[in-house]
Amino acid sequence: MTGYVEDLLPGSGWGEPDGQCVAWYVYWETPPGAWEDYSPGVCGHWAKSPYLKLDYDPTELPEKPPEITGATKAVLVPVQF
């Protein structure tokens, strides 16, 4: 899965001006049924550019899911560190 994030309030972060990070909550399709997972957090205010690209492959995780056949939904959610 590839996702993009744009920091619309560039700054140092940690509340100045926003300091928000995001993650994708993904509903994957697998032969045994649905498998839900969060991507790693992405923090635009810590990057050198306001545009970030995240390539995420859950099959590289230690507790990887069974064979993924697709995704039914991906939701961008705010996260706090």
Side-chain angles (χ1 to χ4, degrees):
M1 179 182 93
T2 300
Y4 298 88
V5 173
E6 179 180 359
D7 185 8
L8 298 176
L9 294 172
S12 63
W14 299 114
E16 296 177 12
D18 60 355
Q20 284 291 318
C21 300
V22 295
W24 281 267
Y25 192 74
V26 185
Y27 298 84
W28 301 101
E29 287 292 321
T30 68
W35 187 76
E36 300 173 17
D37 180 38
Y38 276 103
S39 74
V42 178
C43 303
H45 54 278
W46 289 336
K48 294 178 182 173
S49 167
Y51 304 99
L52 294 173
K53 177 181 175 183
L54 172 70
D55 288 316
Y56 176 61
D57 183 356
T59 62
E60 295 176 353
L61 297 172
E63 297 178 10
K64 62 184 175 183
E67 180 184 340
I68 293 175
T69 58
T72 58
K73 181 168 54 169
V75 180
L76 195 62
V77 294
V79 293
Q80 300 271 336
F81 290 107

